[in-house]
Amino acid sequence: MGIYEELVARGLIAQVTNEEEIRTMINSGKATFYIGFDCTADSLTAGHFMALTLMKRLQMAGNKPVALIGGGTTMIGDPSGRTDMRKMLTKEDIQHNADCFKRQMERFIEFGEGKATMVNNADWLLNLNYVELLREVGACFSVNNMLRADCYKQRMEKGLSFLEFNYMIMQSYDFYHLFQHYGCNMQFGGDDQWSNMLGGTELIRRKLGKDAHAMTITLLTDSQGKKMGKTAGNAVWLDPKKTSPYDFFQYWRNVGDDDVLKCIRMLTFLPLEQIDEMDKWEGSELNKAKEILAYELTNLVHGKEEADKALAAAKSMFAGGKDSADIPTFALSNEDFSENGIGILDIMVKSGLCSSKSEARTLVTQGGVSVNEEKVEAPNVYFDKEAIKEGILVRKGKKKFVKITL
């Protein structure tokens, strides 16, 4: 089985152009491909996993990745999958986010001479002459076709800014530039990027002629990716300062039964033969599959030591223990206590279990909070320093907990 056939077997390919050419190029390790990452935050998320692991797989098979940091396109904002306009960032914010992305990508992709390349489209997009761009590139795009694209359709009712309308042209120009200057003959992206990606292919053909046939496209399915990266309204980050390795582990440990084998197949590097056997698992065996998924991905992002610690902490909690050194811990200071001690609502907010006292109060009144495995009956429960000194285990629901110390 070649690497292209493996990508298909793992459920990663949704649509392609020039499939036979792509298959031959990828399987022979001759593809130079790019995936773009707009710098809208200072950390990649779990939703980027599919792209990162894809780049790693293709590099392992001898192909050359080009990681495109969207320093230029981030200044416009991709309207795909959005019902409103993205927040506009400063150049300084975008550069900071780009630097953070680079450090995280290096855990997955090997950069260097003859290996992967990292580029920033700010280097060419910000220097474009607008009138020249309109004449040389804009003339290759049909407004009628652009408005039919899914990435614009969903924005038409609320309003699509002219700024965002330019995004397709900018992304298409990226592929044109990379094809000319980096020998990049292939691009990957989510299925919500299909129209933008076709725009890049068509631009190359119109500007360089039909003989420029190496600019093939493979489309990475994004349907599963849309489910990844967010939980309870908050992003699951790859930066351990934003999402701890334990919380990262728990996110994957708690995926739904219907998704766990899909995630293992798409995101881990376990052999397909082993995953095929796991497809037969059901009932309690799926919990083992979730543990495998969580461990493998935590190991990928944070390393074996952190993955081992997260696994040990999870097993300790499952067994009802609260003394493991690997359990997430939050230390209160003397200043956090009043004459009455400290209330459970304050504990939950300060430890990060809840974002506000109102959220904490609702959870307590609904019976969703326990201390040392005993349900907290009222929101006005207080704890003195002596109790905290010994350590208490505060649990939110069934899966979120923290050990509180002084």
Side-chain angles (χ1 to χ4, degrees), residues 12-15 50 80 150-151 188-197 218-226:
L12 291 169
I13 303 298
Q15 301 177 71
M50 203 177 292
S80 303
D150 288 339
C151 59
F188 285 75
D191 53 13
D192 59 347
Q193 297 290 312
W194 182 240
S195 298
N196 294 345
M197 296 168 71
T218 302
L219 185 66
L220 173 65
T221 180
D222 201 38
S223 57
Q224 189 67 29
K226 284 178 170 50

Side-chain angles (χ1 to χ4, degrees), residues 127-176:
N127 296 323
L128 289 173
N129 177 290
Y130 186 61
V131 173
E132 182 180 348
L133 177 70
L134 289 178
R135 287 175 59 86
E136 296 298 318
V137 178
C140 299
F141 287 81
S142 162
V143 171
N144 293 26
N145 290 338
M146 292 173 72
L147 291 175
R148 282 194 288 268
D150 288 339
C151 59
Y152 292 142
K153 273 183 180 179
Q154 60 195 20
R155 291 293 305 281
M156 295 305 291
E157 288 187 13
K158 281 198 170 184
L160 175 72
S161 71
F162 183 70
L163 175 71
E164 297 169 288
F165 189 63
N166 284 268
Y167 191 90
M168 181 184 292
I169 294 176
M170 295 295 101
Q171 181 171 334
S172 300
Y173 189 87
D174 282 343
F175 194 19
Y176 176 59

Side-chain angles (χ1 to χ4, degrees), residues 321-341:
K322 64 176 190 298
D323 296 324
S324 170
D326 298 322
I327 292 176
T329 300
F330 182 82
L332 296 169
S333 67
N334 290 324
E335 289 73 23
D336 292 323
F337 291 82
S338 66
E339 292 182 0
N340 297 325

Side-chain angles (χ1 to χ4, degrees), residues 327-376:
I327 292 176
T329 300
F330 182 82
L332 296 169
S333 67
N334 290 324
E335 289 73 23
D336 292 323
F337 291 82
S338 66
E339 292 182 0
N340 297 325
I342 184 170
I344 185 62
L345 304 186
D346 285 317
I347 288 176
M348 297 188 71
V349 172
K350 288 179 181 295
S351 66
L353 286 174
C354 290
S355 59
S356 66
K357 283 190 178 182
S358 59
E359 179 192 353
R361 182 177 290 104
T362 299
L363 282 168
V364 171
T365 56
Q366 291 178 347
V369 178
S370 65
V371 172
N372 293 342
E373 307 304 333
E374 293 186 8
K375 186 182 295 184
V376 177

Side-chain angles (χ1 to χ4, degrees), residues 58-75:
L58 290 172
Q59 185 176 45
M60 290 169 64
N63 298 285
K64 184 179 177 182
V66 176
L68 175 64
I69 300 296
T73 43
T74 304
M75 297 192 73

